[in-house]
Amino acid sequence: MKFFINKENLLFAIQSVQRAVSQKSPLPILTGIKFSCEEDKLVLSATDFEISVRCAVPATVEESGSLVIPARYITEFARRLPDSIIEFEAGPDSTMAVIRYGDSEFNINGYDASEFPSFVIPEEEFSFKLDADLFKEIIKQVTFAVSTEESRPVFTGVFFEIVAGRLTIVATDTFRLALRHTAINEETPELINVIVPGKTLNELARTADPKSIVEVIIGKTHAAFITGEIQIIARLIPGKFPSYRQVIPNQFISEIKIPLKDFLESAERVALLAGENNLLVSLYIRENHVVLNMRSETGWIREEIKSEVNGDKLEISFNVRYLCDVLRSINYEQLVVRFTGPLTPALIIPEDNKDYLSILVPARLSRE
């Protein structure tokens, strides 16, 4: 194996795949990144068996070949390389990579690439395409609600439901729920529903070029996301996602229309006072304004926001970090927040977009 590549392309490829590198595997080879070169491309691959990422970048290849290089070292080393052409070389029977840059040289032991897991696009059950900028927006709007508790794997994923040319994406950790609809061009003869790991979608949002197209391939046990020169394969999460339709409220006692910018800025200022033992912000719904109030060991804050209010006056409390997560995920100017009661979920929707909603479960104050 012998190729030449500039630092920018090398670093882009490494950073595109590095988060798929296994951190806990007893197999040392999975802690590495597979380097493969042929024709005019360098292809990097990494996997932890749950997610696999592959990225191809231009390179000048003199001898094709493959080698697995420890990710920990090559990632940090690549960041510190000079902005010049980098030469990689490894003999056909050698697992030693020689990296030359200018008048300097770095030698690092790797692993035999033949022992690295193969990268296989799943056999297609159904596929569709979306503009990457739209897909990235959808991911941002729902993945904040994904659970981080591995003991409940279904909630660490994002539910994909496809029927009659419409894709619905849902995430929930049982304290909040986010849902987004979008139309797709492809028709499916039957209902398709799968659970994709949230980690995979966040990786897609991080690496996808907004100007590209994302092709989604859904198989029986895996899903693939292909955008530009990056391919991501994820193992689907088995299990049944909860019936999200049953938790969407349809009767309300109060409603506010409020500017997103004002609401988010106030919530973020309130969150500055939050501590580990006090995360609750109280919302007071009044005749023509909303008051956000928090007291903590650090101090006290009161934020008043003008809004259009319809219905009953109300006092309700939320985890302020959850509230900020919801508001940061929305990119519309005006919000509608509908309340079902002081201790029951609130529905948050953009005023000008009926394809998105989020639900936030209130918290009980200690005095209750």
Side-chain angles (χ1 to χ4, degrees), residues 332-348:
Y332 303 98
E333 291 186 3
Q334 198 81 0
L335 290 184
V336 177
V337 185
R338 294 171 178 163
F339 301 94
T340 59
L343 297 174
T344 48
L347 179 70
I348 303 173

Side-chain angles (χ1 to χ4, degrees), residues 30-187:
L30 293 186
T31 65
I33 296 173
K34 181 182 177 181
F35 282 61
S36 299
C37 62
E38 57 184 29
E39 297 181 353
D40 59 351
K41 288 185 178 181
L42 169 68
V43 179
L44 268 58
S45 307
T47 184
D48 62 2
F49 285 130
E50 297 299 322
I51 178 174
S52 303
V53 183
R54 185 177 185 178
C55 179
V57 290
T60 301
V61 178
E62 288 194 0
E63 296 178 15
S64 61
S66 301
L67 183 67
V68 178
I69 301 177
R72 173 186 171 188
Y73 297 105
I74 194 61
T75 300
E76 292 303 319
F77 185 72
R79 289 194 183 104
R80 292 165 172 79
L81 283 169
D83 292 322
S84 61
I85 298 299
I86 316 300
E87 177 187 349
F88 279 70
E89 184 176 11
D93 299 317
S94 173
T95 56
M96 172 75 75
V98 181
I99 305 172
R100 301 184 180 94
Y101 45 101
D103 296 324
S104 302
E105 181 179 297
F106 174 51
N107 291 257
I108 183 169
N109 285 310
Y111 305 100
D112 186 345
S114 65
E115 300 176 8
F116 197 80
S118 58
F119 191 96
V120 180
I121 300 295
E123 185 176 344
E124 178 182 325
E125 296 278 308
F126 181 76
S127 68
F128 62 92
K129 295 179 181 180
L130 282 177
D131 289 340
D133 58 346
L134 173 60
F135 212 158
K136 287 162 75 80
E137 176 187 293
I138 292 172
I139 292 170
K140 176 187 174 184
Q141 289 179 338
V142 300
T143 54
F144 73 87
V146 167
S147 175
T148 58
E149 295 185 18
E150 297 295 336
S151 60
R152 303 187 299 174
V154 165
F155 295 106
T156 66
V158 176
F159 183 61
F160 279 50
E161 181 182 75
I162 305 168
V163 62
R166 186 163 87 156
L167 167 67
T168 300
I169 297 181
V170 188
T172 183
D173 62 0
T174 72
F175 299 105
R176 55 237 173 121
L177 179 146
L179 176 151
R180 173 67 189 265
H181 299 295
T182 193
I184 58 175
N185 293 328
E186 291 75 5
E187 292 284 346

Side-chain angles (χ1 to χ4, degrees), residues 154-155 159 193 195 237-243:
V154 165
F155 295 106
F159 183 61
N193 50 60
I195 306 173
I237 298 175
K240 185 176 181 180
F241 199 80
S243 179

Side-chain angles (χ1 to χ4, degrees), residues 22-31 47-49:
S22 177
Q23 303 297 323
K24 302 175 182 178
S25 175
L27 301 175
I29 198 168
L30 293 186
T31 65
T47 184
D48 62 2
F49 285 130

